[in-house]
Amino acid sequence: MHEFEGSPGNLGQERRLDLRPALKQPTDFGAVTAQAKEAVERIATLVGLKERMLRTLHEAGSKGITRRIVDDLIGYLMLTITWAAERYDVSYQAASNAVNKLVGLGLLRQFSEGRYGRIFINDDTMRVLIG
């Protein structure tokens, strides 16, 4: 592994990083295992959450852009209508209608104040990821 010096006089000069001292340190594999298990549980919870959201959409007869937004809610925790319109290559009105539908179904909530540049989030996803 290599690092580059950050001072202006040494920019681009390579130096070796010696990892041997770190490798001699005892590793708490119990803590590593616990963190890995927590990550797997969190992922399983997110998968279940996404399945429930998609089921809610299906029961409401929603598809199209609303489905595409829900498909991405795990990876994009916050969105604006303008962002959704650009991401899914639809009109602002189509994105607005989809977001309003998701708000009505309880899958999104307006997080920011005001009428312009509003930010929407899914509270359940935030709870899982933030803890």
Side-chain angles (χ1 to χ4, degrees):
M1 181 163 214
H2 302 282
E3 276 189 7
F4 293 93
E5 296 288 338
S7 65
N10 297 329
L11 277 178
Q13 291 183 355
E14 190 177 299
R15 69 180 168 121
R16 294 220 175 254
L17 179 63
D18 187 3
L19 296 175
R20 287 177 291 187
L23 294 174
K24 292 179 184 176
Q25 298 295 321
T27 302
D28 183 359
F29 288 107
V32 172
T33 301
Q35 286 179 339
K37 285 181 180 177
E38 181 183 334
V40 169
E41 289 170 4
R42 204 172 278 212
I43 290 167
T45 301
L46 288 169
V47 168
L49 176 60
K50 183 176 178 178
E51 288 171 354
R52 284 192 304 276
M53 289 189 290
L54 290 173
R55 196 169 28 254
T56 299
L57 277 185
H58 179 73
E59 290 168 359
S62 290
K63 50 188 172 187
I65 186 172
T66 54
R67 162 84 189 221
R68 293 167 65 196
I69 291 172
V70 168
D71 279 338
D72 287 345
L73 275 179
I74 303 301
Y76 299 99
L77 302 179
M78 299 180 189
L79 63 95
T80 65
I81 294 170
T82 301
W83 178 88
E86 291 171 1
R87 170 137 176 99
Y88 303 109
D89 196 27
V90 297
S91 69
Y92 182 90
Q93 189 59 52
S96 179
N97 291 344
V99 167
N100 288 331
K101 175 82 170 182
L102 293 169
V103 168
L105 292 171
L107 299 178
L108 286 178
R109 172 179 69 85
Q110 185 174 333
F111 179 73
S112 62
E113 299 290 324
R115 293 179 42 98
Y116 301 100
R118 298 173 294 163
I119 298 171
F120 296 87
I121 64 169
N122 176 274
D123 288 317
D124 293 332
T125 303
M126 290 292 250
R127 258 189 297 282
V128 171
L129 291 175
I130 294 173

